[in-house]
């Protein structure tokens, strides 16, 4: 499962989130053809639900789940994952173990290519 943290107020993280969405969309059919499912979660750290809703609609995100954490970096989730006031991402295996973190969408695409070969 891909878990990506971002916010509308941070242009770089928003752009990266869109690029991750494009990668998941590109590989979703290949993964499903093997009777697998590419699970992905986009986690917005925005404070205001209306901003979150508008931006996710504009960006046309293709994730299994898109969610909002209004407490942002003060949330239990952010503290448990040690985000340390910066955006990031994680690749989590079926047992819940983090197998990669803080990679680019291009690196994620290469991981998927290797996995699907």
């Amino acid at each position: 499962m891909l878990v990506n943290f971002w916010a509308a107020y941070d242009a770089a993280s928003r752009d990266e989130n869109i690029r991750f969405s494009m990668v998941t969309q590109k590989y979703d059919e290949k993964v499903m053809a093997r009777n697998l499912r590419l699970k992905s979660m986009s986690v917005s750290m925005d404070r205001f639900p209306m901003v979150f809703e508008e931006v996710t609609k504009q960006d046309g995100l293709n994730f299994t789940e898109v969610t909002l954490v209004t407490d942002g970096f003060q949330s239990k989730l952010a503290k448990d994952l040690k985000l340390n006031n910066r955006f990031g991402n994680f690749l989590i295996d079926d047992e819940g173990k983090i197998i990669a973190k803080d990679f680019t969408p291009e690196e994620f695409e290469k991981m998927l290519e290797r996995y699907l070969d």
Side-chain angles (χ1 to χ4, degrees):
M1 171 181 252
L2 165 69
V3 181
N4 186 56
F5 293 87
W6 65 283
Y9 63 80
D10 184 87
S13 72
R14 182 177 173 189
D15 176 65
E16 191 169 77
N17 191 56
I18 293 167
R19 291 176 21 234
F20 273 118
S21 176
M22 292 167 60
V23 172
T24 61
Q25 185 174 11
K26 178 179 177 180
Y27 285 88
D28 213 22
E29 284 184 33
K30 289 182 182 182
V31 171
M32 287 173 51
R34 294 182 179 201
N35 292 323
L36 301 171
R37 179 73 175 125
L38 176 57
K39 296 178 185 174
S40 56
M41 179 183 284
S42 172
V43 182
S44 170
M45 305 296 270
D46 288 298
R47 297 195 68 206
F48 303 104
M50 289 182 70
V51 171
F52 163 75
E53 291 167 13
E54 185 60 33
V55 167
T56 55
K57 191 185 312 179
Q58 285 176 8
D59 293 351
L61 302 175
N62 183 55
F63 290 97
T64 308
E65 183 175 343
V66 180
T67 190
L68 173 64
V69 177
T70 56
D71 293 342
F73 292 112
Q74 303 308 312
S75 68
K76 182 177 179 342
L77 177 64
K79 290 178 181 181
D80 287 350
L81 292 173
K82 297 178 176 85
L83 290 179
N84 298 322
N85 294 324
R86 63 179 185 78
F87 300 103
N89 54 62
F90 299 87
L91 191 57
I92 303 170
D93 70 11
D94 291 337
E95 284 85 41
K97 180 181 172 188
I98 296 171
I99 56 175
K101 74 183 253 187
D102 297 333
F103 45 89
T104 66
E106 294 77 20
E107 291 168 328
F108 180 53
E109 186 168 7
K110 288 178 185 175
M111 288 181 226
L112 288 172
E113 281 293 330
R114 282 193 304 263
Y115 177 73
L116 294 171
D117 279 346

